[in-house]
Amino acid sequence: MIDTRTGPCRIRQPMIRRGFLEDGPDSDRKARGREEFVPVSWDIALDLAAQELNRVRDAFGNNAIYAGSYGWASAGRFHHAQSQLRRFMNLFGGCTTSRDSYSYAAAEVILPHIVGPMAELLREHTSWRSIAETGSKVIAFGGMAARNSQMNSGGVGRHSQAEDMSAARKAGAEFINISPSNSDVSGELDSEWIPIHPNTDTALMLALAHTLFVENLHDRVFLKSHCTGFEQFHPYLTGETDGTPKDANWAAAVTGIPAARIISLAREMAAGPTFLNGSWSLTRQQNGEQAIWMLVVLAAMLGGIGKPGTGFGLGLGAVNGIGSDRGYLPWAALPAGRNPKSSFIPVSRIADMLLNPGEKFRYNGGEYAYPDVRLVYWVGGNPFHHHQDINRLIKAWQNIETVIVHDPFWTPTARHADIVLPTTVPLERSDLAASTRDDHLVAMQQVAEPFAMAQNDHDIFAALARRMTAKGKSGTNFEQAFTSGRSEAEWLRHLYEESRERGKEFGHDLPDYESFLVSGIYKLRPPAEPTVMLKSFRTDPVENPLPTPSGRIEIFSEIIAAFGLADNPGHPNWQAPDEWLGASLADKYPLHLITHQPSRRLHSQLDQSAHSRAGKIKGREPCRIHPDDARARGIAEGDLVRLFNDRGACLSAAQFDAGLLRGVIMMATGAWYDPDLENEPECCKHGNPNLLTRDAPTSDIASGPSALTCLVDIERLQREAPAVTIHEAPPIANISRDAPD
Ligand SMILES: Nc1nc2c(c(=O)[nH]1)N[C@H]1C(S)=C(S)[C@@H](COP(=O)(O)OP(=O)(O)OC[C@H]3O[C@@H](n4cnc5c(=O)[nH]c(N)nc54)[C@H](O)[C@@H]3O)O[C@H]1N2
Ligand SMILES: Nc1nc2c(c(=O)[nH]1)N[C@H]1C(S)=C(S)[C@@H](COP(=O)(O)OP(=O)(O)OC[C@H]3O[C@@H](n4cnc5c(=O)[nH]c(N)nc54)[C@H](O)[C@@H]3O)O[C@H]1N2
Ligand SMILES: [Mo]
């Protein structure tokens, strides 16, 4: 954080893309990302931003403004960038927004139909303590990669996930890592590794269920007392409905796991307490809904749901806070208000929306039309990192008339904006840091003055609101409504007092604000008993029904069946994805690329830092490859390589990993997109794998992102290696305009 605060990627001053300054919304939009920026005063930048917002609203309505603005900035309950934007837009008359997350949209949409809302399930997630006390066998579908448990959205008070895992191991828990990578469960847990073809977990789970069923190892009592629809499901398992028994032999061919191991695993699962953990990675795949549904059904067949240390888990290891038995308090945050507009898209359909205004899309049983968006406002996210198939995004982006971005840094997204407004970093402001997955509240004290001309997002929006009031476009005093008349210090005190009030409801007695500021940190008391997901439902399903139509776990869902989707009979089922090692496309692109979370960064954040750059090889984001796959292509360890498919390419450096399933390549996300404009514009010369991923929805159920994996091939780089330039500032005009000419 320290070296980037004043580094070359910090934005010094408000900037306008030259073409936009000259021609406004009629400018050549293909020049975005290539053209120089002109430094301007805050007054010029804010006047222009206000003018554009008013223009688009007046000419096309609020739905023509997209402020879905997905992204992970930043630690703090007050300066949270997305909340600031939402509060501003909601007062401005609304905007088109986004639903669900990039992390696990498939689960967020399917789970309420079959068990209950994901957020509630995560809040009462079965804890490591419960697993340790039970001495369970933990079957980790997608592993529990240690690198991922370093963070929570909102911040981490104590890094406890690794020690919780070790403690469970010491207490007798056993681990099985079902993943294409043996390092997805940390070495000290002595796990067994069962390598699996990517994107085939649903098939494996079906075969495990098949064995349980035909060997009569399933819990028929629980299926009757707490579930509905097993009768509609088991004929599919046995093949009665479609002629294909989902048995171990069938799944062996799909997953690459020997049939004998599938059968023995099912028997082991039924023989003792078993905890089935589903990684969030299973959801970011085509038909990711089915993997999560099947995880729940498999756990239901084992009958352990709601009992200590058993049942299913939704992402142990995915972030720090899951399963950690912490005290809970819904910490107060900046209120965003209500969006007066209902226009939305499922979050990862952004390129689709921009390319196809007016076209229909399906989401959670409904049919909607994409709005005709003219202005995009992004605050606290980096779509040129996070979105799949960036070459498609580049085309879609050209359909936007005006792009406004706030960011502290010259990220690829800031470079693809028309109006760039520089914001502070957390070191330059005060805030209250806390996560709903964490039990610490931290007083973040400002330690540095804002760099150059950077301002807080909040103050930028307040200044914009002031302009709009002045122009009389808003009936009430917009600025006053936005700030509520409070300064930063007053907001922090206000939010603290609100948290303190809420704390009483949850049995926490927070000190007064002054005492809190003196200690600087407050920790919630942990629960006395280990947390067990769905415990009260288990105890009495009539008294404590689930919020599903039947009040029970829905193995068959009338609602999903009524969606009338060709591939969805209303119970979990296997559909071969378009891209996997068993697809015909694998003849052309024989390697399955997994684009996982990075260990040295939070997504793309601080990729320009010394710490992130120390993880690169020859300046490129490395990829891990099995030595045999590399040697077959004449690639040596450390060679520069080019990964490619029909959508694009990226450069990387080969890192050998014999702990990978053959045919699988792993590459972290988050290297800043740096197109090789001179030699191959569709190629990122730095190593952003989203040049290769596919921009298709999980399915018509959630329309979630499915871009975790895709098919590619790899070759040794033939041309001379182009220099990586993205960690320098973009071209900036050597003039500073104080007034437009
Ligand atoms: N291929 C592939 N793609 C993926 C994934 C994958 O597994 N595979 N994972 C997906 C997932 S799960 C996620 S969550 C997304 C993450 O995608 P993002 O959340 O978009 O990624 P970040 O890099 O965290 O972006 C945060 C941005 O906010 C900026 N920022 C930081 N502080 C502030 C502030 O105070 N104010 C403002 N205005 N800006 C600030 C940072 O500089 C940065 O540009 O990526 C998704 N993309
Ligand atoms: N250090 C760090 N930690 C992070 C983040 C970060 O940016 N940096 N981001 C956070 C965020 S926003 C999120 S959403 C979570 C995401 O948490 P996850 O989704 O759990 O994380 P991933 O790293 O994408 O994937 C975990 C593992 O899944 C395995 N895998 C991939 N495909 C398959 C498959 O088809 N089958 C099986 N069985 N395994 C598969 C891969 O080997 C991969 O290592 O991570 C969080 N943690
Ligand atoms: Mo995420």
Side-chain angles (χ1 to χ4, degrees):
M1 288 175 81
I2 291 169
D3 68 77
T4 55
R5 196 182 79 80
T6 52
C9 287
R10 194 71 200 270
I11 307 173
R12 301 192 64 89
Q13 171 172 359
M15 302 271 173
I16 317 284
R17 180 170 66 83
R18 178 180 280 287
F20 192 84
L21 193 62
E22 285 160 6
D23 304 318
D26 298 324
S27 74
D28 173 13
R29 301 172 201 159
K30 289 201 175 81
R32 284 194 190 120
R34 303 175 184 217
E35 203 171 27
E36 67 175 4
F37 284 94
V38 181
V40 297
S41 66
W42 272 108
D43 274 340
I44 292 180
L46 290 171
D47 284 347
L48 194 53
Q51 176 191 316
E52 280 302 291
L53 283 164
N54 282 330
R55 176 185 71 81
V56 172
R57 182 182 60 178
D58 295 347
F60 308 102
N62 285 73
N63 286 350
I65 299 170
Y66 180 72
S69 187
Y70 189 77
W72 262 67
S74 54
R77 309 301 289 177
F78 173 61
H79 288 293
H80 183 247
Q82 250 191 77
S83 307
Q84 295 284 349
L85 173 65
R86 273 194 241 122
R87 183 177 171 89
F88 175 86
M89 283 297 169
N90 292 345
L91 290 166
F92 182 60
C95 61
T96 292
T97 187
S98 62
R99 292 241 180 117
D100 309 321
S101 68
Y102 271 80
S103 312
Y104 43 55
E108 284 173 286
V109 175
I110 195 84
L111 282 169
H113 297 298
I114 59 175
V115 214
M118 173 123 178
E120 310 268 312
L121 296 170
L122 288 177
R123 190 185 310 158
E124 56 157 9
H125 201 282
T126 300
S127 71
W128 280 112
R129 192 149 54 112
S130 173
I131 289 169
E133 286 176 8
T134 314
S136 321
K137 189 184 281 289
V138 178
I139 319 261
F141 294 93
M144 305 177 306
R147 64 166 187 273
N148 288 357
S149 35
Q150 301 173 79
M151 37 63 55
N152 287 327
S153 82
V156 172
R158 197 168 63 85
H159 293 84
S160 56
Q161 187 79 195
E163 61 192 67
D164 284 348
M165 287 183 190
S166 306
R169 171 72 193 124
K170 287 202 188 83
E174 288 172 27
F175 293 84
I176 296 186
N177 172 25
I178 298 180
S179 159
S181 162
N182 75 349
S183 57
D184 272 350
V185 169
S186 79
E188 62 192 59
L189 301 181
D190 311 315
S191 63
E192 176 192 348
W193 179 36
I194 301 184
I196 184 170
H197 292 152
N199 295 22
T200 65
D201 298 74
T202 303
L204 171 63
M205 290 189 246
L206 283 166
L208 291 167
H210 181 274
T211 302
L212 294 178
F213 183 66
V214 298
E215 298 193 0
N216 225 342
L217 297 172
H218 56 304
D219 187 336
R220 274 164 300 171
V221 176
F222 183 78
L223 290 171
K224 246 205 170 83
S225 58
H226 289 74
C227 308
T228 170
F230 189 64
E231 290 65 36
Q232 284 107 310
F233 175 62
H234 69 69
Y236 171 75
L237 268 188
T238 53
E240 225 175 277
T241 47
D242 64 355
T244 307
K246 312 302 170 305
D247 60 14
N249 280 326
W250 167 82
V254 177
T255 62
I257 302 172
R261 186 65 191 106
I262 298 177
I263 292 169
S264 62
L265 181 59
R267 290 174 186 159
E268 284 165 34
M269 283 165 36
T274 299
F275 188 83
L276 305 180
N277 190 53
S279 153
W280 295 352
S281 64
L282 305 186
T283 68
R284 299 200 298 285
Q285 311 183 351
Q286 198 177 359
N287 295 314
E289 296 90 346
Q290 304 303 315
I292 292 303
W293 198 349
M294 193 52 215
L295 180 83
V296 176
V297 171
L298 190 58
M301 288 176 74
L302 290 170
I305 294 173
K307 291 209 289 193
T310 54
F312 65 91
L314 297 169
L316 283 175
V319 291
N320 182 63
I322 296 188
S324 64
D325 262 338
R326 284 155 200 251
Y328 174 72
L329 200 168
W331 304 106
L334 178 76
R338 213 184 58 82
N339 186 0
K341 297 288 169 203
S342 57
S343 172
F344 78 98
I345 56 165
V347 69
S348 70
R349 303 323 299 144
I350 176 164
D352 239 31
M353 167 187 80
L354 295 171
L355 289 167
N356 308 297
E359 202 163 283
K360 300 270 193 301
F361 67 91
R362 303 193 71 163
Y363 171 78
N364 204 7
E367 196 177 67
Y368 306 86
Y370 287 129
D372 186 358
V373 162
R374 308 295 174 118
L375 184 150
V376 167
Y377 206 132
W378 220 291
V379 179
N382 189 359
F384 284 80
H385 141 66
H386 72 229
H387 195 65
Q388 51 268 14
D389 195 353
I390 285 180
N391 286 319
R392 185 169 190 256
L393 179 68
I394 294 271
K395 287 200 193 83
W397 207 251
Q398 288 164 7
N399 286 351
I400 314 167
E401 291 173 5
T402 307
V403 181
I404 308 177
V405 168
H406 298 190
D407 208 289
F409 303 113
W410 281 117
T411 63
T413 300
R415 289 169 208 244
H416 285 82
D418 301 318
I419 302 175
V420 182
L421 304 178
T423 60
T424 51
V425 294
L427 294 169
E428 297 162 351
R429 58 200 186 213
S430 295
D431 212 327
L432 297 167
S435 166
T436 42
R437 298 200 216 294
D438 199 77
D439 50 6
H440 290 73
L441 180 70
V442 180
M444 295 171 71
Q445 316 260 1
Q446 180 179 347
V447 294
E449 285 304 308
F451 175 76
M453 288 167 69
Q455 290 194 18
N456 296 335
D457 293 299
H458 182 75
D459 299 322
I460 300 173
F461 285 124
L464 267 180
R466 190 177 318 137
R467 280 169 168 75
M468 286 155 163
T469 315
K471 291 196 172 98
K473 295 284 181 193
S474 178
T476 56
N477 186 327
F478 189 177
E479 182 189 9
Q480 163 70 25
F482 178 74
T483 63
S484 292
R486 294 190 186 103
S487 65
E488 179 192 72
E490 286 163 340
W491 266 109
L492 299 187
R493 176 183 291 274
H494 170 78
L495 293 177
Y496 182 85
E497 292 303 346
E498 200 182 316
S499 290
R500 193 172 172 217
E501 202 49 45
R502 288 187 197 177
K504 292 182 190 151
E505 229 177 282
F506 293 83
H508 301 296
D509 189 15
L510 271 65
D512 62 63
Y513 189 50
E514 276 68 28
S515 315
F516 164 70
L517 284 184
V518 170
S519 61
I521 191 157
Y522 181 79
K523 181 173 183 283
L524 300 175
R525 197 169 14 82
E529 294 294 316
T531 318
V532 175
M533 189 198 276
L534 300 173
K535 185 173 161 188
S536 61
F537 164 68
R538 171 83 196 205
T539 313
D540 191 340
V542 178
E543 221 16 65
N544 311 305
L546 298 177
T548 58
S550 61
R552 295 161 171 235
I553 295 170
E554 304 227 340
I555 296 172
F556 178 87
S557 160
E558 302 276 359
I559 292 195
I560 306 273
F563 285 1
L565 305 174
D567 298 342
N568 286 286
H571 57 69
N573 69 106
W574 162 255
Q575 300 288 335
D578 295 323
E579 298 199 14
W580 69 300
L581 292 171
S584 56
L585 189 67
D587 295 341
K588 189 173 176 195
Y589 297 117
L591 298 172
H592 202 143
L593 171 70
I594 295 174
T595 64
H596 58 85
Q597 305 291 15
S599 59
R600 284 176 175 267
R601 294 181 293 270
L602 178 59
H603 315 127
S604 71
Q605 292 191 52
L606 309 185
D607 182 43
Q608 76 276 32
S609 68
H611 180 66
S612 176
R613 291 167 76 165
K616 317 252 170 184
I617 297 177
K618 297 178 182 158
R620 323 289 147 155
E621 191 64 32
C623 65
R624 285 186 280 148
I625 182 167
H626 193 284
D628 295 344
D629 287 327
R631 286 190 203 108
R633 291 165 175 78
I635 296 168
E637 170 106 54
D639 273 356
L640 283 182
V641 290
R642 178 174 168 273
L643 283 74
F644 60 99
N645 61 21
D646 288 341
R647 291 177 287 266
C650 75
L651 303 191
S652 177
Q655 212 170 29
F656 285 7
D657 182 355
L660 276 185
L661 183 67
R662 272 207 67 178
V664 170
I665 299 190
M666 307 250 311
M667 193 168 173
T669 57
W672 283 10
Y673 165 62
D674 195 2
D676 187 1
L677 292 176
E678 274 171 29
N679 304 297
E680 190 187 5
E682 294 77 30
C683 174
C684 172
K685 57 191 177 179
H686 180 202
N688 182 326
N690 271 327
L691 277 287
L692 302 155
T693 50
R694 185 167 173 260
D695 192 8
T698 47
S699 81
D700 281 344
I701 298 179
S703 286
S706 65
L708 182 74
T709 75
C710 62
L711 291 178
V712 300
D713 204 352
I714 185 169
E715 62 185 9
R716 217 155 66 85
L717 184 67
Q718 308 291 339
R719 59 176 180 264
E720 202 186 315
V724 173
T725 48
I726 197 70
H727 293 141
E728 297 151 22
I732 292 170
N734 205 4
I735 40 158
S736 184
R737 293 211 193 163
D738 292 326
D741 50 25

